[in-house]
Amino acid sequence: MPLDVAPAPHGRRSSLRVAVRLARRDIARHKGRSLLIILLIMVPVAGMTGAATLYQSSQRTPAEIVDYELGRTQARFSALPVPGADSLQDPLNDAMVASSTGRYDPDFKPADPRDVLPAGYQVLPQRQLQLTTGVGEALVALQGREVDALNPAFAGKFTLLDGRAPRGGAEVLASPGLMARFNLAFGQEITTSAGTFVPVGTIRDAGASDGNSFLYLQSRQVPANLGAGPQTHLSVSYYLVGPEPVNWDYIKDANSKGVAVLSRSVVLDPPPLEQRVVPGSQPHNDSSALLAVYATFGLVGALALLEVGLLAGAAFAVGAKQQVRELALLASSGAESPTIRAVVTAGGLWLGGIAVAAGAAVGLGAAAVVVHLVRLAGSVRLAGVHPDVPMTLAAAAMGLVACVIAALVPARQVSRQAVFGALKSGRAPAPTARRSTLAGAVALVAAAVLLLAGWVLGTSTSDPDQRAAELPLVVTILILGAVLGVAGLVMVTGWLVLSLTSRTQWMTLSLRMAARDSARNRGRSVPAVAAVLAAAALASAAMVLSASQQAGMRQSHWWGGLENQALLPLVVDPPTGAGGSRQPPVHVDASALSAAVAGALGTVEWSHPITAPESTRTCMDGQARPGLPARTSSSNCLQYSLALPEANACPRTPKGRLADPGDWRCRGSMALRSSYDGTVLVGGEKDIRAVLGRDATPEALAVLNAGGMVVTNPVFVSGGHVLLQAQDVRTHEAAVQGPGTVPSTVSSTPLAAAVLEPVVPVPYYGIVSPATAQRLDLHPEPAALLVQLAGAPSEAETDAASAAAASVYGLPGMTFRAEPGISQGSQWTTWVIVAVSALITFSAAGITTGLSMADARADHATLAGVGAAPRLRKTLAGSQALFTSGVGVVLGTLAGTVPAVLLALSTDLRTAVEVPWLHLSVLMAAVPLTGAALAWALTRARVPMSRRSLG
């Protein structure tokens, strides 16, 4: 009978079942190693799942919008600040203008929301009140709300947290933040500018944080003249209760009258995009900043998964070596190579499946706990638990793929081992590295091509709009190039280790032994170097991208003054009197204000009053009337600024993007601000030092004393002169650049100019001397008091300074605010990222070193057997960790820094690319040295007894 060598029916399926069963038994037998692999895969999956869930949880769903903002009402009507009738709001956000031509219509009269309310609804008003209360001798501001908060129609929006409902008289409700701020208990009185009240309960507004100071009053408790005036409608919102919905057409009509509407039916069923655009509106500046953030996370996430896969690969490699004998016995009994590979690969499937399931569960659970705690604390940062199913599935799929790939490499090596060689020696012969090295070289060439292609494509055009459209493709190419580059370096690691070993003659004995051991046992050294390489690439990429983002923030930060400098006005308007009458301005003594702030704060370095042209606060409201001058004895409507020469205008694209953010015309003081944001100062040398943060040059003083102007930005200078223009704020004309309008220019005066740029872009055009101000009839007056602090004030210090300032002003709402700057925060942020990155790299080095030491236990036993001293073995362990960590961190830093720089050059960060050399140097030095020290300290002097190996 002939021998039938045909494959048995369903044999492949049976062999897979055997492989899965053997893999499950091996996992149960080596619980420590299996748990390590599960944790390695689980942590990044949990992190990505939790991050995606928290991000989605910060975005309100339409159902949450109507619940938190409207309760059970149908709609909310409120004022919408628009320049004309051709504007439309966002359907989901009644405080945002989504589309507008920007043209100012002088004949446009915004309607009172009360006059636009449809008939047939019950109306529940809510009015915002600006109240004050006494704290010692000072008056501090708090917010009041005139609303029937416990009306059943507001269920979901307002919730009674503690206490009871008011029963009349002076009983009121308050927010938890107000009770904590003033250390109040139920039944205690609080005296405000609206009267004396007794809080009997705390209430939560689902749309505002509990930390805010709110006092909820009934209409009968609010004095009739409190806040009354012509602008009262701006602080009142009207909620409609009824069965009929308010549709989008009605909202568009209300928007044309200057009224915003948040409608339940429209939020739950928004209109199509084509109905949300006003004809002739300016296209939105859909900046690619958000895409740049996603690109950053994409690169970091890809490198993180690669690192995890390599760490798991190191663990699988050690496990596969320990399986050599049993797998060889399986092969000798007739198992084919695919079956041998399947045993190890099935372990990756088992462990990966458990890890991704646990990671997704842990990520979702942790995010849910965070959301619950945040909501319980009264914060509105997170609206609810919103799982991001696509991102969760993507993270799980990537984690499972990483785990399976991590198991494939050792599985392939084990399946190719000679059965009799494995049975004879119990140790696998080192596979040849020629093919791996060749593949790595090809991968490095491909990575270089991809990185170069991505950089060329990202910088091939100077049109920001086209660059933004190409950014997704550029980011994808660069991320693929980065991952392929790390993979190529991993594959050529064996060749690098051999090359370095041949050049270690000058090293100490322990380092020579460590290098030669790494070259001889590449099965354990290469995974260790590769894992540290991937971790260092992740860390360096994160540091470069973070440093570049911080540099971009420093460039785009809008400075209100020098860092830690506060500006306190010396002329303020008191509240509107009864019937809307305007009260005369209050002039504050600068010395008294300075003494009060210095007495409240111990960090005041100096204070200095500054002078400016007369303010427009006395300008009468309304349009300019024929024959009525812009300045009278009791009114001033003139605003001073510098004219921007047309040749020096910052170039922009049709979509409003900066054509070149690095252009000198787009940088510096007042370059991108409107004329309302800045002012012209009057003073001399001391004033220049106080406001600009630097001493005046002799040339600048000469121009100033000769009747010229010291200018903060050369963009306003043309031919050595600037044009000082006076504009009537009551008038409007079309802007030269972009949409909108600007005040009409009444007069223009050329002045000689000397440029003296400040240390940061402060909001000042420049400084003229008092004599020049008198000559130009600028009517200079004390404008503000500059207070320079030695450091950033704490919240308690800010409150103390605000109370001291309020006692001098005698007016509510006067708060103390110092310019925070961002340099200190960015520095600490970068160092925090360094610490986290170092921790990640330390963990990778520690895990791989531990796995290598476990695999090298027999070698250490051999050293002990031939008489090696414990000190030599401890030094050898430290040298091995130093060698693998050092090679890995140097290669990883290179592999992470280059793609990160190219990615920053291809996004909105291209003008702020910053490589943190100091932080990278600390990482490259600290990781190998710390890893070596830990390996030396944790290596036991006594070698544990081991069972004798057979064969």
Side-chain angles (χ1 to χ4, degrees):
M1 183 177 180
L3 180 64
D4 186 7
V5 294
H10 310 295
R12 179 67 64 186
R13 187 182 306 171
S14 300
S15 65
L16 290 177
R17 283 200 301 267
V18 171
V20 171
R21 187 162 58 249
L22 289 175
R24 179 172 52 82
R25 292 175 179 175
D26 182 73
I27 291 171
R29 188 162 56 249
H30 301 91
K31 296 182 177 64
R33 186 182 73 232
S34 303
L35 180 60
L36 174 64
I37 296 174
I38 289 174
L39 290 176
L40 289 173
I41 301 296
M42 186 188 75
V43 170
V45 173
M48 288 187 286
T49 300
T53 302
L54 289 177
Y55 175 76
Q56 288 297 329
S57 299
S58 66
Q59 310 298 313
R60 290 183 178 182
T61 64
E64 288 170 341
I65 292 175
V66 298
D67 193 31
Y68 295 164
E69 297 293 336
L70 298 177
R72 296 179 182 175
T73 62
Q74 280 292 348
R76 176 177 65 200
F77 284 66
S78 56
L80 181 68
V82 290
D86 46 0
S87 300
L88 274 181
Q89 67 171 74
D90 188 317
L92 306 184
N93 187 352
D94 56 339
M96 178 184 294
V97 177
S99 178
S100 176
T101 61
R103 291 189 294 267
Y104 177 80
D105 183 1
D107 299 325
F108 177 71
K109 300 293 183 183
D112 189 324
R114 180 180 52 190
D115 300 332
V116 187
L117 301 178
Y121 293 89
Q122 178 188 357
V123 180
L124 300 176
Q126 176 181 246
R127 181 156 66 115
Q128 308 288 338
L129 304 172
Q130 296 298 324
L131 308 179
T132 60
T133 186
V135 177
E137 297 182 359
L139 289 175
V140 298
L142 60 91
Q143 299 181 60
R145 290 187 177 185
E146 179 187 343
V147 62
D148 184 12
L150 297 184
N151 191 299
F154 285 131
K157 176 174 177 57
F158 296 114
T159 305
L160 184 65
L161 292 178
D162 198 8
R164 60 175 176 82
R167 295 172 182 168
E171 294 184 347
V172 294
L173 297 171
S175 66
L178 184 139
M179 303 293 288
R181 177 181 177 184
F182 299 108
N183 296 317
L184 293 176
F186 293 149
Q188 289 184 332
E189 292 184 345
I190 178 173
T191 300
T192 71
S193 54
T196 300
F197 304 101
V198 179
V200 295
T202 54
I203 197 169
R204 170 174 293 168
D205 184 350
S209 172
D210 283 355
N212 293 321
S213 299
F214 289 128
L215 197 65
Y216 295 87
L217 309 177
Q218 299 290 328
S219 57
R220 56 180 173 76
Q221 296 174 316
V222 180
N225 62 348
L226 183 65
Q231 303 297 318
T232 303
H233 69 281
L234 298 177
S235 62
V236 183
S237 299
Y238 300 92
Y239 293 82
L240 304 186
V241 181
E244 295 297 325
V246 178
N247 57 33
W248 179 242
D249 290 334
Y250 196 94
I251 293 176
K252 291 195 294 183
D253 182 68
N255 289 169
S256 66
K257 300 174 182 177
V259 177
V261 183
L262 186 68
S263 170
R264 174 183 295 270
S265 62
V266 172
V267 171
L268 297 177
D269 185 18
L273 293 177
E274 58 269 16
Q275 296 185 19
R276 308 184 195 180
V277 180
V278 174
S281 62
Q282 179 75 9
H284 280 292
N285 179 10
D286 52 342
S287 175
S288 55
L290 184 60
L291 188 54
V293 174
Y294 283 135
T296 300
F297 282 114
L299 176 59
V300 172
L303 293 178
L305 283 171
L306 184 58
E307 177 212 353
V308 169
L310 291 171
L311 283 173
F316 275 118
V318 174
K321 286 187 177 183
Q322 296 177 355
Q323 287 181 280
V324 166
R325 287 188 58 83
E326 55 191 73
L327 293 176
L329 288 172
L330 182 64
S332 65
S333 64
E336 300 175 346
S337 292
T339 304
I340 304 298
R341 287 198 302 269
V343 172
V344 182
T345 308
L349 283 172
W350 272 108
L351 296 175
I354 296 172
V356 298
V362 170
L364 289 172
V369 170
V370 170
V371 172
H372 176 72
L373 292 177
V374 168
R375 296 294 301 177
L376 193 63
S379 174
V380 295
R381 293 179 180 274
L382 301 176
V385 181
H386 305 154
D388 192 329
V389 177
M391 283 298 297
T392 300
L393 293 177
M398 288 189 293
L400 183 59
V401 170
C403 191
V404 173
I405 292 177
L408 278 176
V409 176
R412 184 171 177 271
Q413 291 179 356
V414 170
S415 66
R416 295 178 59 189
Q417 291 174 5
V419 174
F420 294 108
L423 287 172
K424 179 179 180 181
S425 65
R427 181 176 294 274
T432 178
R434 184 175 302 172
R435 186 177 299 177
S436 175
T437 303
L438 182 60
V442 173
L444 287 176
V445 172
V449 171
L450 286 174
L451 293 175
L452 181 62
W455 176 71
V456 170
L457 182 61
T459 58
S460 60
T461 177
S462 59
D463 184 0
D465 295 333
Q466 183 179 350
R467 190 161 48 233
E470 297 173 349
L471 187 58
L473 177 61
V474 172
V475 168
T476 302
I477 293 175
L478 290 176
I479 291 177
L480 288 176
V483 174
L484 196 58
V486 174
L489 283 176
V490 168
M491 286 186 283
V492 301
T493 299
W495 174 79
L496 287 173
V497 169
L498 283 174
S499 301
L500 292 174
T501 302
S502 63
R503 294 170 175 82
T504 57
Q505 297 85 355
W506 56 275
M507 294 183 178
T508 62
L509 174 63
S510 58
L511 285 174
R512 290 200 307 271
M513 292 179 63
R516 292 170 183 174
D517 180 76
S518 298
R520 185 173 59 254
N521 297 286
R522 293 192 300 277
R524 64 168 176 250
S525 62
V526 170
V529 173
V532 177
L533 186 155
L538 169 64
S540 57
M543 281 191 283
V544 171
L545 291 173
S546 173
S548 298
Q549 288 177 348
Q550 296 295 332
M553 290 175 59
R554 287 195 295 271
Q555 290 184 2
S556 61
H557 182 67
W558 286 50
W559 294 84
L562 301 180
E563 188 169 2
N564 299 322
Q565 188 179 88
L567 188 144
L568 302 175
L570 295 177
V571 184
V572 294
D573 290 325
T576 306
S581 61
R582 172 173 289 178
Q583 304 297 315
V586 175
H587 294 264
V588 181
D589 181 63
S591 59
L593 185 60
S594 175
V597 174
L601 293 176
T603 58
V604 176
E605 291 186 338
W606 52 262
S607 58
H608 182 83
I610 58 175
T611 303
E614 183 182 4
S615 172
T616 60
R617 67 173 53 87
T618 58
C619 180
M620 301 301 293
D621 296 330
Q623 301 179 51
R625 281 175 261 174
L628 184 64
R631 176 188 287 154
T632 65
S633 59
S634 60
S635 174
N636 174 49
C637 295
L638 290 180
Q639 171 185 273
Y640 293 92
S641 61
L642 293 182
L644 181 65
E646 186 175 352
N648 294 351
C650 178
R652 292 181 179 271
T653 67
K655 290 189 176 181
R657 292 187 178 90
L658 299 181
D660 182 10
D663 194 315
W664 69 275
R665 296 170 293 180
C666 306
R667 305 170 70 93
S669 294
M670 304 305 301
L672 299 177
R673 301 193 184 196
S674 67
S675 58
Y676 292 102
D677 296 328
T679 185
V680 174
L681 300 180
V682 179
E685 184 176 359
K686 292 183 179 179
D687 300 275
I688 291 176
R689 175 64 186 173
V691 299
L692 304 187
R694 56 183 302 184
D695 293 322
T697 62
E699 294 79 8
L701 290 177
V703 171
L704 185 70
N705 295 329
M709 184 176 187
V710 177
V711 186
T712 59
N713 195 334
V715 74
F716 298 106
V717 180
S718 178
H721 289 76
V722 293
L723 199 62
L724 179 65
Q725 57 185 12
Q727 297 173 308
D728 189 346
V729 297
R730 302 169 301 171
T731 60
H732 298 270
E733 60 183 19
V736 177
Q737 283 195 339
T741 58
V742 295
S744 301
T745 300
V746 176
S747 65
S748 296
T749 305
L751 295 174
V755 178
L756 186 66
E757 297 189 59
V759 292
V760 294
V762 291
Y764 307 116
Y765 286 104
I767 301 176
V768 296
S769 66
T772 303
Q774 293 293 339
R775 175 171 60 86
L776 299 177
D777 195 27
L778 300 183
H779 288 219
E781 64 176 10
L785 178 71
L786 292 179
V787 180
Q788 182 65 52
L789 305 181
S794 64
E795 185 176 357
E797 291 174 330
T798 301
D799 290 340
S802 299
S807 65
V808 177
Y809 286 113
L811 297 173
M814 303 307 298
T815 58
F816 181 90
R817 180 188 179 276
E819 169 59 48
I822 62 169
S823 58
Q824 188 70 19
S826 64
Q827 181 180 1
W828 281 109
T829 301
T830 305
W831 279 112
V832 167
I833 293 176
V834 171
V836 173
S837 303
L839 182 62
I840 293 173
T841 313
F842 285 151
S843 64
I847 291 170
T848 54
T849 300
L851 291 171
S852 297
M853 294 302 298
D855 188 55
R857 184 178 299 174
D859 296 340
H860 282 260
T862 302
L863 282 175
V866 299
R871 180 177 178 181
L872 176 61
R873 288 186 284 104
K874 291 172 70 71
T875 307
L876 175 60
S879 299
Q880 288 172 330
L882 181 66
F883 184 82
T884 56
S885 300
V887 174
V889 76
V890 171
L891 294 177
T893 302
L894 176 65
T897 301
V898 173
V901 169
L902 295 178
L903 184 62
L905 286 172
S906 303
T907 63
D908 285 346
L909 301 175
R910 60 190 178 277
T911 60
V913 177
E914 184 173 304
V915 179
W917 297 111
L918 174 62
H919 308 85
L920 292 175
S921 301
V922 169
L923 180 70
M924 287 191 290
V927 170
L929 294 177
T930 306
L934 291 176
W936 185 91
L938 297 178
T939 300
R940 289 185 290 181
R942 296 174 59 90
V943 178
M945 297 295 294
S946 59
R947 187 177 301 173
R948 182 181 179 185
S949 299
L950 297 176

